[in-house]
Amino acid sequence: MTALTDRVDYTITDGVAVLTLNNPPVNALSQGVRQGIKEGVEMALTDPQVGAIVLICEGRTFIAGADITEFSQGLQEPDFHGVLQSMDAASKPIVAAIHGTALGGGLETALCCHYRVAVADARFGLPEVNLGLLPGGGGTQRLPRAVGAEKATEMVTSGNPIGATEALQLGLIDIVVEGDLRAAALAFAADKIGTTSLPRLRDRDEKLQSARDNPGFFDEVRKAISRKTRGFLAPEYNIRCIEAAVNQPFDEGLATEAKLFMELLSGPQSAAQQYFFFAERQAAKVVDLPADTAERPINKVGVIGAGTMGGGIAMNMANVGLPVTLVEVKQEALDRGLAVVRRNYENTARKGRLSAEEVEARCKLIEGSLEMQDLHDCDLIIEAVFENMAVKQDIFTRLDSIARDDAILASNTSALDLNEIAGVTGRPESVIGLHFFSPANVMKLLEVVRGEKTGDDVIKTCMSFARRIRKVPVLVGVCHGFVGNRILFQRQFQADRLAHEGAAPHVIDKVLYDFGFPMGPFQMSDLAGLDIGWSKETSKGASVKDRLCELGRFGQKSSAGYYDYDDNRVPTPAPVATELFAEFAAREGIAQREISEQEILDRCLLPMINEGAKILQEGIAQRASDIDVVYVYGYGWPVYRGGPMHYANTLGLETVVEKLRKYGEQTGSDFWQPAELLLKLAGEGGRFG
Ligand code: 3HC
């Protein structure tokens, strides 16, 4: 065996040279890998003893793509294209032996091999779009030649991988291997020794014909994905590349791909999305947990409260095959909750994403009960009743005597003091916050709230458990509203001020929508319901929201709130809302005026950044990027802008401080006082993170 580099080995078996890549954890195409492949191919081509080449990977996967950490370091030799070119042009057959995930540059490497063999659970994809990029190693030109332009367009715009069975059907791979991959690849390669006319994807274009015959195809795709991809550059750039594959000769198509790739790579969206890729993975790590911290087993879960939240939370467990006991006080409420769960599953089944048997199996896993006592054998119990400290404390007091000694007791509170809840139990080390976001069966974010006394094992268990139920966990500390809602309060407060000062609610919403949020603050309030925390008996009409509720305008559910809604829930701005803001402004002596879109944007976003800085300086979040993960997954912050803290870095922290001071002077309010951490970092020319 020869070690070509510290990442690539070279051996010869029965006339077949085997290049074995070993670059843990995912065999990314780092410099040493590219160098090793280049040298290995050259060596095999000049060695008369070698008749074919196999490219295979050690570890858990085939090459999962370019090394993303290298993008910001500039081009390092050998250039990826040169390596691919030498493989494509090789005079001896090259076989890619694939297991795990052949993604991005990994699949592009395989597409330059003359043959591809793979194990049955291998997956293949070009997920560059998720990094704000497009496949820059010829993938947009070769994949459509392998699987057709239609399938290739779907794969590059969604980033979703396909499995081996589909890959075989489409002609992306030559065989699916049963048994030992290396032995099968060696036998396959040996069989190809002496083949003179090697199959090269660049030479094939019969699978492009159907797209050539249907000139409207790409515009149809654009239309179909436009809602989902609003604001993103990369999906459109990926489509343009496949169009080039269909309409241009291969080498011209490659040049188009290279040009568009460089445009994306040097732009802010890709920088933000690459940053976010690592932010998400960082968030799962807890800095101060001893490495040997044990986890508690979780095999059965209890949920208290069968309302919208509780039902949604229970669905998460059933979705991964975990039995759940769902407890309510009254039979009627329990029946209603279970019916909503069933209806949700049936809706998913109607869309073809679940079979009728799966609907039944999941519903069966959720067992309703009217007795808290039935939670006695649960490993994790999540309380999801309404936000009232006394009610929650009562539940935790009772749980303390019902739950097993080693059970984890969690509250789904979105803002209350977890320490006060934990304080009523004799086991505060077993109490934690698990703040799900609505709809709880859909939203990916889970704020894992660490109380003063929460045990390390409980934190570790919940961080892993979150991933088991396919959530993105972010560890946060106790404060009013934790990370997400605490920051949101600031934005809501300013949006309300702006409306008093003369900006119409729908204009404020539009500015935030155009920034990339799925909706603005007033649309969000209408969706959530304006009557949360409001009661007819005690209402004093002290705010615009109170007055809207007094008028029976509770938001979308009553077809009226800040907007009027038609039967299809299409909103039009409600004049009554603007009039009420004007009335309150006059009463409070606030002069109404024209407010620019820039001021609206600044005044909604800067307080979020400032609050994020306070959260960091208080140690409520572990790192700035965790705040961004909360915002992208929980509140619809556009990922192509990275999150509030990354966005602040792109503005420059000095600019952020200057603007905060400017609005402080303009409004004469302490609200705008920059956080100490922000001042410090801006003073040092620093950044968050
Ligand atoms: N470059 C650098 N590091 C990478 C990486 C990559 N392409 N892919 C994964 N990693 C790192 C992760 O950051 C993580 O590091 P950590 O342990 O220090 O946090 C580690 O590898 C393991 O990753 P995951 O935690 O994500 O492991 P999973 O087993 O859950 O998932 C995976 C494995 C499916 C391969 C997933 O990591 C993934 O989707 N990776 C990215 C794939 C991708 O986007 N490829 C395209 C890259 S761009 C490209 O190829 C451009 C080309 O066209 C020119």
Side-chain angles (χ1 to χ4, degrees):
M1 187 182 77
T2 313
L4 296 171
T5 65
D6 59 350
R7 309 288 146 132
V8 183
D9 291 336
Y10 180 94
T11 49
I12 300 175
T13 308
D14 299 333
V16 179
V18 182
L19 295 181
T20 308
L21 279 49
N22 190 5
N23 185 24
V26 298
N27 284 312
L29 281 163
S30 315
Q31 192 277 336
V33 174
R34 297 196 304 277
Q35 184 69 33
I37 298 176
K38 179 176 181 281
E39 286 177 22
V41 171
E42 278 167 9
M43 202 184 270
L45 291 181
T46 50
D47 185 346
Q49 306 299 318
V50 171
I53 303 165
V54 165
L55 189 70
I56 192 165
C57 291
E58 287 283 352
R60 65 199 221 207
T61 179
F62 190 75
I63 306 164
D67 183 343
I68 305 166
T69 60
E70 282 186 0
F71 285 151
S72 54
Q73 296 162 15
L75 188 70
Q76 291 179 56
E77 291 294 336
D79 158 51
F80 184 38
H81 291 102
V83 176
L84 295 182
Q85 173 59 26
S86 65
M87 292 170 67
D88 198 15
S91 53
K92 296 176 184 175
I94 307 182
V95 179
I98 301 168
H99 74 293
T101 42
L103 298 179
L107 181 56
E108 292 176 301
T109 306
L111 288 168
C112 283
C113 296
H114 308 108
Y115 304 98
R116 288 160 288 281
V117 303
V119 294
D121 61 356
R123 297 182 71 72
F124 312 82
L126 292 176
E128 283 86 344
V129 71
N130 297 326
L131 298 168
L133 289 172
L134 55 87
T140 63
Q141 306 306 297
R142 288 190 180 88
L143 186 67
R145 285 174 163 82
V147 303
E150 295 81 355
K151 185 70 195 176
T153 307
E154 181 194 315
M155 286 173 73
V156 297
T157 54
S158 70
N160 294 337
I162 59 170
T165 310
E166 191 178 0
L168 185 68
Q169 275 164 5
L170 290 165
L172 180 61
I173 57 175
D174 296 280
I175 54 165
V176 174
V177 170
E178 304 284 342
D180 184 50
L181 176 63
R182 188 185 165 93
L186 271 169
F188 187 94
D191 198 44
K192 300 295 175 193
I193 291 176
T195 307
T196 45
S197 163
L198 291 170
R200 292 188 174 85
L201 283 167
R202 59 179 297 140
D203 299 332
R204 287 178 45 189
D205 71 352
E206 75 279 2
K207 290 200 175 167
L208 303 176
Q209 197 52 46
S210 59
R212 285 181 182 146
D213 294 341
N214 178 7
F217 168 70
F218 291 105
D219 283 339
E220 281 163 25
V221 174
R222 286 186 172 97
K223 211 167 137 203
I225 65 172
S226 63
R227 239 184 93 184
K228 225 171 151 184
T229 59
R230 182 178 69 92
F232 288 88
L233 281 181
E236 167 61 20
Y237 275 48
N238 272 278
I239 294 177
R240 281 192 214 161
C241 286
I242 309 280
E243 267 180 319
V246 170
N247 298 323
Q248 296 176 351
F250 182 81
D251 287 324
E252 271 181 40
L254 269 191
T256 302
E257 179 194 271
K259 179 178 162 286
L260 294 179
F261 178 80
M262 287 316 293
E263 268 184 44
L264 287 178
L265 186 64
S266 56
Q269 290 205 354
S270 174
Q273 288 178 256
Q274 286 173 47
Y275 156 83
F276 195 77
F277 174 84
F278 292 111
E280 186 181 337
R281 280 154 183 82
Q282 277 288 98
K285 295 171 187 150
V286 180
V287 276
D288 58 353
L289 282 190
D292 60 352
T293 307
E295 288 188 27
R296 300 190 191 182
I298 296 188
N299 298 312
K300 188 167 185 211
V301 179
V303 177
I304 303 172
T308 318
M309 262 338 255
I313 293 172
M315 286 174 77
N316 286 293
M317 318 305 158
N319 293 348
V320 295
L322 270 172
V324 201
T325 303
L326 184 61
V327 176
E328 250 302 342
V329 185
K330 292 210 171 96
Q331 187 68 46
E332 201 193 341
L334 182 60
D335 291 345
R336 199 168 42 231
L338 290 171
V340 171
V341 167
R342 173 169 285 278
R343 200 170 339 117
N344 282 339
Y345 280 135
E346 284 171 351
N347 284 341
T348 312
R350 251 193 298 282
K351 290 176 197 148
R353 295 205 300 262
L354 218 55
S355 68
E357 295 76 48
E358 282 166 326
V359 171
E360 290 315 314
R362 292 186 192 191
C363 288
K364 214 170 146 199
L365 281 168
I366 305 177
E367 200 185 336
S369 165
L370 298 175
E371 299 295 334
M372 283 253 283
Q373 192 59 43
D374 287 342
L375 301 174
H376 68 95
D377 59 348
C378 291
D379 304 304
L380 166 68
I381 301 169
I382 306 171
E383 162 277 308
V385 304
F386 59 95
E387 288 286 274
N388 179 298
M389 181 58 85
V391 175
K392 288 191 193 268
Q393 284 184 326
D394 177 53
I395 287 176
F396 274 77
T397 307
R398 289 164 62 199
L399 272 184
D400 203 16
S401 61
I402 293 170
R404 283 207 333 241
D405 286 349
D406 58 350
I408 294 177
L409 311 183
S411 172
N412 176 53
T413 178
S414 58
L416 298 179
D417 185 339
L418 184 77
N419 297 326
E420 280 185 38
I421 297 173
V424 299
T425 72
R427 44 170 128 175
E429 71 287 350
S430 291
V431 177
I432 194 163
L434 292 179
H435 178 207
F436 289 80
F437 288 71
S438 187
N441 52 318
V442 177
M443 297 293 284
K444 299 259 294 180
L445 178 66
L446 184 67
E447 279 185 330
V448 176
V449 189
R450 172 189 224 160
E452 240 167 42
K453 298 195 174 145
T454 309
D456 287 349
D457 59 335
V458 172
I459 293 170
K460 186 156 180 202
T461 306
C462 289
M463 295 297 281
S464 316
F465 181 72
R467 287 193 298 280
R468 188 163 152 210
I469 59 169
R470 303 188 200 119
K471 297 285 171 198
V472 176
V474 178
L475 186 68
V476 302
V478 176
C479 64
H480 184 63
F482 313 121
V483 168
N485 282 342
R486 176 168 160 184
I487 290 179
L488 193 71
F489 295 147
Q490 305 301 314
R491 190 185 83 176
Q492 294 292 110
F493 175 74
Q494 269 309 306
D496 200 60
R497 292 298 306 168
L498 283 159
H500 280 85
E501 290 172 35
H506 70 276
V507 174
I508 300 171
D509 281 345
K510 179 160 185 314
V511 169
L512 288 163
Y513 177 81
D514 289 347
F515 179 79
F517 283 100
M519 65 184 83
F522 296 98
Q523 284 164 313
M524 202 169 135
S525 297
D526 269 3
L527 184 66
L530 303 186
D531 55 339
I532 297 175
W534 176 85
S535 98
K536 196 173 172 180
E537 292 71 37
T538 55
S539 181
K540 293 195 176 72
S543 66
V544 170
K545 207 159 136 183
D546 279 3
R547 289 282 294 279
L548 287 170
C549 287
E550 286 169 6
L551 294 168
R553 303 180 68 93
F554 302 136
Q556 275 202 23
K557 60 182 155 191
S558 61
S559 297
Y562 291 106
Y563 293 83
D564 291 315
Y565 297 86
D566 69 12
D567 293 344
N568 298 318
R569 295 213 175 155
V570 176
T572 40
V576 62
T578 337
E579 285 158 17
L580 279 172
F581 277 117
E583 185 189 316
F584 272 76
R587 198 193 302 163
E588 291 166 27
I590 300 168
Q592 290 209 317
R593 63 186 168 93
E594 280 272 322
I595 302 181
S596 72
E597 291 195 356
Q598 186 62 51
E599 179 172 342
I600 292 173
L601 191 66
D602 282 350
R603 286 181 54 187
C604 286
L605 300 189
L606 295 172
M608 299 173 80
I609 296 168
N610 202 27
E611 200 64 25
K614 289 179 194 166
I615 281 171
L616 272 180
Q617 81 197 18
E618 290 167 25
I620 298 291
Q622 292 190 95
R623 43 182 98 80
S625 58
D626 284 7
I627 299 176
D628 289 338
V629 174
V630 167
Y631 258 79
V632 168
Y633 276 120
Y635 296 84
W637 185 288
V639 63
Y640 58 80
R641 296 192 198 268
M645 310 318 275
H646 175 83
Y647 180 65
N649 284 338
T650 62
L651 292 177
L653 299 192
E654 262 184 76
T655 308
V656 172
V657 168
E658 262 170 41
K659 285 190 174 211
L660 284 169
R661 288 195 168 128
K662 184 184 103 182
Y663 290 114
E665 277 165 29
Q666 180 181 312
T667 57
S669 159
D670 285 349
F671 176 88
W672 297 97
Q673 177 57 37
E676 275 166 37
L677 178 69
L678 185 53
L679 284 173
K680 179 174 166 288
L681 289 174
E684 294 164 353
R687 301 159 55 86
F688 290 121

Short mmCIF file of all heavy atoms in Angstrom, two decimals, residues 278-313:
data_model
loop_
_atom_site.label_atom_id
_atom_site.label_comp_id
_atom_site.label_asym_id
_atom_site.label_seq_id
_atom_site.Cartn_x
_atom_site.Cartn_y
_atom_site.Cartn_z
N PHE A 278 -22.90 25.63 9.56
CA PHE A 278 -22.08 25.32 10.74
C PHE A 278 -22.76 25.77 12.03
O PHE A 278 -22.64 25.12 13.07
CB PHE A 278 -20.68 25.95 10.60
CG PHE A 278 -19.87 25.30 9.50
CD1 PHE A 278 -19.57 25.97 8.33
CD2 PHE A 278 -19.46 23.98 9.62
CE1 PHE A 278 -18.86 25.36 7.31
CE2 PHE A 278 -18.74 23.35 8.60
CZ PHE A 278 -18.43 24.03 7.44
N ALA A 279 -23.52 26.88 11.96
CA ALA A 279 -24.23 27.38 13.15
C ALA A 279 -25.17 26.31 13.68
O ALA A 279 -25.25 26.04 14.89
CB ALA A 279 -25.01 28.64 12.80
N GLU A 280 -25.87 25.67 12.76
CA GLU A 280 -26.86 24.65 13.15
C GLU A 280 -26.16 23.48 13.84
O GLU A 280 -26.66 22.95 14.84
CB GLU A 280 -27.57 24.18 11.89
CG GLU A 280 -28.70 23.25 12.17
CD GLU A 280 -29.39 22.78 10.89
OE1 GLU A 280 -29.30 23.46 9.86
OE2 GLU A 280 -30.01 21.71 10.95
N ARG A 281 -25.02 23.10 13.33
CA ARG A 281 -24.30 21.97 13.93
C ARG A 281 -23.67 22.35 15.27
O ARG A 281 -23.63 21.56 16.20
CB ARG A 281 -23.27 21.44 12.94
CG ARG A 281 -23.95 20.56 11.92
CD ARG A 281 -23.29 20.44 10.60
NE ARG A 281 -24.13 19.61 9.72
CZ ARG A 281 -25.18 20.04 9.03
NH1 ARG A 281 -25.53 21.32 9.09
NH2 ARG A 281 -25.89 19.23 8.28
N GLN A 282 -23.22 23.60 15.37
CA GLN A 282 -22.67 24.08 16.65
C GLN A 282 -23.73 24.08 17.74
O GLN A 282 -23.45 23.77 18.89
CB GLN A 282 -22.20 25.54 16.49
CG GLN A 282 -20.84 25.70 15.91
CD GLN A 282 -19.77 25.30 16.90
OE1 GLN A 282 -19.28 24.17 16.82
NE2 GLN A 282 -19.43 26.15 17.83
N ALA A 283 -24.95 24.48 17.36
CA ALA A 283 -26.01 24.67 18.35
C ALA A 283 -26.25 23.39 19.15
O ALA A 283 -26.66 23.44 20.31
CB ALA A 283 -27.30 25.12 17.67
N ALA A 284 -25.99 22.24 18.52
CA ALA A 284 -26.26 20.97 19.20
C ALA A 284 -25.24 20.71 20.31
O ALA A 284 -25.42 19.79 21.11
CB ALA A 284 -26.21 19.84 18.17
N LYS A 285 -24.17 21.51 20.35
CA LYS A 285 -23.09 21.22 21.31
C LYS A 285 -23.20 22.08 22.57
O LYS A 285 -23.36 23.29 22.47
CB LYS A 285 -21.73 21.44 20.65
CG LYS A 285 -21.53 20.44 19.52
CD LYS A 285 -20.33 20.74 18.67
CE LYS A 285 -20.34 19.78 17.49
NZ LYS A 285 -19.74 20.27 16.29
N VAL A 286 -23.10 21.44 23.72
CA VAL A 286 -23.18 22.17 24.99
C VAL A 286 -21.75 22.30 25.53
O VAL A 286 -21.08 21.29 25.76
CB VAL A 286 -24.07 21.43 26.00
CG1 VAL A 286 -24.16 22.20 27.31
CG2 VAL A 286 -25.46 21.22 25.41
N VAL A 287 -21.30 23.55 25.69
CA VAL A 287 -19.88 23.75 25.98
C VAL A 287 -19.42 23.19 27.32
O VAL A 287 -18.32 22.67 27.42
CB VAL A 287 -19.47 25.25 25.89
CG1 VAL A 287 -19.18 25.64 24.48
CG2 VAL A 287 -20.51 26.16 26.49
N ASP A 288 -20.26 23.28 28.35
CA ASP A 288 -19.73 22.94 29.67
C ASP A 288 -20.21 21.59 30.20
O ASP A 288 -20.19 21.35 31.40
CB ASP A 288 -20.07 24.06 30.67
CG ASP A 288 -21.57 24.29 30.75
OD1 ASP A 288 -22.31 23.68 29.95
OD2 ASP A 288 -22.01 25.07 31.61
N LEU A 289 -20.64 20.70 29.32
CA LEU A 289 -21.04 19.37 29.80
C LEU A 289 -19.83 18.44 29.80
O LEU A 289 -19.17 18.31 28.77
CB LEU A 289 -22.09 18.75 28.88
CG LEU A 289 -23.54 19.20 28.99
CD1 LEU A 289 -24.43 18.29 28.17
CD2 LEU A 289 -24.00 19.25 30.43
N PRO A 290 -19.52 17.78 30.93
CA PRO A 290 -18.42 16.82 30.92
C PRO A 290 -18.68 15.74 29.86
O PRO A 290 -19.83 15.31 29.68
CB PRO A 290 -18.46 16.22 32.33
CG PRO A 290 -19.23 17.20 33.16
CD PRO A 290 -20.17 17.90 32.24
N ALA A 291 -17.62 15.33 29.15
CA ALA A 291 -17.78 14.40 28.03
C ALA A 291 -18.42 13.08 28.47
O ALA A 291 -19.11 12.43 27.68
CB ALA A 291 -16.43 14.14 27.39
N ASP A 292 -18.19 12.70 29.74
CA ASP A 292 -18.71 11.39 30.17
C ASP A 292 -20.11 11.47 30.79
O ASP A 292 -20.56 10.54 31.45
CB ASP A 292 -17.73 10.74 31.16
CG ASP A 292 -17.54 11.61 32.39
OD1 ASP A 292 -18.04 12.77 32.39
OD2 ASP A 292 -16.91 11.15 33.36
N THR A 293 -20.80 12.59 30.57
CA THR A 293 -22.16 12.72 31.13
C THR A 293 -23.07 11.63 30.57
O THR A 293 -23.14 11.46 29.35
CB THR A 293 -22.76 14.10 30.77
OG1 THR A 293 -21.84 15.11 31.18
CG2 THR A 293 -24.10 14.34 31.45
N ALA A 294 -23.75 10.92 31.47
CA ALA A 294 -24.63 9.82 31.02
C ALA A 294 -25.97 10.39 30.56
O ALA A 294 -26.35 11.49 30.97
CB ALA A 294 -24.85 8.85 32.17
N GLU A 295 -26.66 9.64 29.73
CA GLU A 295 -28.01 10.07 29.33
C GLU A 295 -29.04 9.18 30.00
O GLU A 295 -28.76 8.01 30.29
CB GLU A 295 -28.18 9.95 27.80
CG GLU A 295 -27.40 11.00 27.05
CD GLU A 295 -27.71 11.01 25.57
OE1 GLU A 295 -28.81 10.61 25.17
OE2 GLU A 295 -26.82 11.43 24.81
N ARG A 296 -30.23 9.71 30.23
CA ARG A 296 -31.32 8.88 30.76
C ARG A 296 -32.08 8.28 29.57
O ARG A 296 -32.31 8.98 28.58
CB ARG A 296 -32.27 9.73 31.60
CG ARG A 296 -31.60 10.38 32.80
CD ARG A 296 -32.66 11.00 33.72
NE ARG A 296 -32.04 11.85 34.73
CZ ARG A 296 -32.72 12.50 35.68
NH1 ARG A 296 -34.05 12.39 35.74
NH2 ARG A 296 -32.11 13.25 36.56
N PRO A 297 -32.46 7.00 29.66
CA PRO A 297 -33.20 6.41 28.54
C PRO A 297 -34.61 7.00 28.43
O PRO A 297 -35.23 7.29 29.46
CB PRO A 297 -33.28 4.92 28.90
CG PRO A 297 -33.00 4.85 30.35
CD PRO A 297 -32.25 6.07 30.77
N ILE A 298 -35.08 7.21 27.21
CA ILE A 298 -36.45 7.69 27.03
C ILE A 298 -37.19 6.76 26.09
O ILE A 298 -36.92 6.70 24.89
CB ILE A 298 -36.47 9.13 26.50
CG1 ILE A 298 -35.85 10.04 27.55
CG2 ILE A 298 -37.91 9.58 26.18
CD1 ILE A 298 -35.94 11.50 27.30
N ASN A 299 -38.12 6.01 26.65
CA ASN A 299 -38.89 5.06 25.85
C ASN A 299 -40.38 5.33 25.90
O ASN A 299 -41.14 4.79 25.12
CB ASN A 299 -38.62 3.63 26.32
CG ASN A 299 -37.15 3.27 26.12
OD1 ASN A 299 -36.59 3.51 25.06
ND2 ASN A 299 -36.50 2.76 27.17
N LYS A 300 -40.79 6.16 26.86
CA LYS A 300 -42.22 6.48 26.94
C LYS A 300 -42.37 7.93 27.40
O LYS A 300 -41.66 8.36 28.33
CB LYS A 300 -42.91 5.52 27.91
CG LYS A 300 -44.40 5.71 27.87
CD LYS A 300 -45.20 4.63 28.56
CE LYS A 300 -46.67 4.94 28.30
NZ LYS A 300 -47.53 4.52 29.35
N VAL A 301 -43.27 8.64 26.75
CA VAL A 301 -43.41 10.07 27.03
C VAL A 301 -44.84 10.37 27.48
O VAL A 301 -45.78 9.73 27.03
CB VAL A 301 -43.07 10.89 25.75
CG1 VAL A 301 -43.22 12.39 26.00
CG2 VAL A 301 -41.65 10.59 25.28
N GLY A 302 -44.96 11.33 28.37
CA GLY A 302 -46.28 11.82 28.77
C GLY A 302 -46.41 13.28 28.38
O GLY A 302 -45.42 14.02 28.44
N VAL A 303 -47.59 13.68 27.95
CA VAL A 303 -47.83 15.09 27.63
C VAL A 303 -49.08 15.52 28.39
O VAL A 303 -50.10 14.82 28.35
CB VAL A 303 -48.01 15.31 26.10
CG1 VAL A 303 -48.33 16.77 25.80
CG2 VAL A 303 -46.75 14.88 25.34
N ILE A 304 -48.98 16.65 29.08
CA ILE A 304 -50.14 17.14 29.83
C ILE A 304 -50.75 18.33 29.10
O ILE A 304 -50.06 19.33 28.87
CB ILE A 304 -49.72 17.56 31.26
CG1 ILE A 304 -49.05 16.37 31.96
CG2 ILE A 304 -50.94 18.05 32.05
CD1 ILE A 304 -48.44 16.74 33.30
N GLY A 305 -52.01 18.19 28.70
CA GLY A 305 -52.68 19.25 27.94
C GLY A 305 -52.84 18.79 26.50
O GLY A 305 -51.84 18.59 25.82
N ALA A 306 -54.10 18.63 26.06
CA ALA A 306 -54.33 18.14 24.69
C ALA A 306 -54.80 19.27 23.78
O ALA A 306 -55.51 19.05 22.81
CB ALA A 306 -55.35 17.00 24.71
N GLY A 307 -54.37 20.49 24.09
CA GLY A 307 -54.69 21.63 23.22
C GLY A 307 -53.81 21.59 21.98
O GLY A 307 -53.16 20.57 21.69
N THR A 308 -53.76 22.72 21.27
CA THR A 308 -52.99 22.77 20.02
C THR A 308 -51.54 22.38 20.27
O THR A 308 -50.94 21.60 19.52
CB THR A 308 -53.03 24.20 19.46
OG1 THR A 308 -54.36 24.67 19.60
CG2 THR A 308 -52.61 24.25 18.03
N MET A 309 -50.95 22.93 21.34
CA MET A 309 -49.53 22.66 21.62
C MET A 309 -49.34 21.20 22.03
O MET A 309 -48.50 20.50 21.47
CB MET A 309 -49.04 23.55 22.77
CG MET A 309 -48.32 24.79 22.41
SD MET A 309 -47.56 24.86 20.82
CE MET A 309 -45.88 24.67 21.20
N GLY A 310 -50.12 20.77 23.04
CA GLY A 310 -49.94 19.42 23.58
C GLY A 310 -50.13 18.36 22.50
O GLY A 310 -49.34 17.42 22.37
N GLY A 311 -51.18 18.52 21.68
CA GLY A 311 -51.44 17.56 20.61
C GLY A 311 -50.28 17.52 19.63
O GLY A 311 -49.81 16.45 19.22
N GLY A 312 -49.79 18.71 19.24
CA GLY A 312 -48.67 18.80 18.30
C GLY A 312 -47.41 18.16 18.88
O GLY A 312 -46.68 17.45 18.18
N ILE A 313 -47.17 18.38 20.17
CA ILE A 313 -45.99 17.80 20.82
C ILE A 313 -46.09 16.27 20.80
O ILE A 313 -45.14 15.57 20.46
CB ILE A 313 -45.85 18.32 22.26
CG1 ILE A 313 -45.52 19.83 22.25
CG2 ILE A 313 -44.76 17.56 23.03
CD1 ILE A 313 -45.56 20.51 23.61
#
